Amino acid sequence: IDISEYKSTTDEEAITVRQKYGLPADFLLAVGHFRKRKNYMRLVEALSVLHKRGRDIPLVLVGNESGDLPAIKQRIEELGLTRHISIFSNLSDHEVRCIYKLCSLFVFPSGYEGFGIPILEAMAAERPMVLSDISVFQEITQGKGVYFDHTNPESIATAIDNVLLSTDECARLVQYGN
């Protein structure tokens, strides 16, 4: 990735994207194609857990359809989260950079990845993040991230909650990413 593109994305550009897509002031972000291995189903279930805990934070999913989107949408509907989750596809790279810049927390719930470019993108956008406890994510972040059991929605929700409730932890994660 070209870090300078993230650094040169202005607040005004981000606000324009916020307005264009109706993005809320605070939201969780996950980026990646809609495939089973991306584990969006568990992330949606974790959002339901957060809502039951009284944490009304929306989720934005950015990615292109790769087979799992209908099932994800069905699960969102079953859990009554339709108005709390926004799904965007076919965005420009610039729009995705702006959405990274706008999010409160980046969440990467994958069960398997060969690498994990979105981690580097979140770091370049200076966003805190919580990640699956898979080895490649721990390697990329040198074990200094906040990790969760990607098979457990409660674990995902707790990691999200712990970071969002700690300005010190958010600052530590952003500083590490720099």
Side-chain angles (χ1 to χ4, degrees):
I1 66 169
D2 184 348
I3 294 173
S4 68
E5 290 179 342
Y6 287 83
K7 303 290 184 200
S8 66
T9 301
T10 67
D11 291 340
E12 293 77 23
E13 291 170 322
I15 289 167
T16 299
V17 169
R18 180 188 305 278
Q19 292 169 341
K20 178 179 179 179
Y21 292 105
L23 298 172
D26 296 305
F27 62 91
L28 306 173
L29 173 64
V31 176
H33 296 304
F34 296 104
R35 295 184 174 131
K36 285 193 186 303
R37 71 180 173 87
K38 297 294 184 178
N39 202 33
Y40 288 131
M41 208 68 81
R42 294 293 167 266
L43 178 57
V44 167
E45 291 167 358
L47 190 71
S48 180
V49 170
L50 287 167
H51 283 237
K52 288 175 186 169
R53 293 179 184 174
R55 300 279 288 151
D56 188 19
I57 188 158
L59 171 63
V60 173
L61 301 174
V62 175
N64 294 326
E65 167 59 326
S66 291
D68 207 32
L69 188 55
I72 294 166
K73 285 182 175 181
Q74 180 180 345
R75 189 67 179 137
I76 289 168
E77 192 172 313
E78 289 169 358
L79 293 171
L81 294 172
T82 304
R83 64 187 187 92
H84 301 284
I85 299 176
S86 301
I87 299 171
F88 300 103
S89 296
N90 302 311
L91 301 179
S92 71
D93 290 344
H94 175 74
E95 289 172 323
V96 174
R97 284 192 300 273
C98 287
I99 293 172
Y100 270 110
K101 184 175 180 117
L102 293 166
C103 78
S104 301
L105 181 69
F106 174 71
V107 184
F108 206 179
S110 288
Y112 168 79
E113 289 292 330
F115 183 67
I117 295 292
I119 293 172
L120 301 181
E121 292 171 336
M123 287 178 173
E126 299 181 349
R127 305 316 310 149
M129 64 185 115
V130 295
L131 310 166
S132 292
D133 59 359
I134 60 176
S135 60
V136 68
F137 290 177
Q138 291 180 28
E139 184 178 334
I140 292 168
T141 58
Q142 300 173 318
K144 295 181 181 168
V146 172
Y147 310 100
F148 53 77
D149 175 354
H150 66 277
T151 66
N152 184 332
E154 290 279 341
S155 177
I156 299 168
T158 297
I160 291 168
D161 225 7
N162 288 345
V163 172
L164 286 178
L165 292 172
S166 173
T167 55
D168 289 344
E169 188 67 352
C170 282
R172 181 189 74 78
L173 291 166
V174 168
Q175 180 62 36
Y176 170 74
N178 284 331

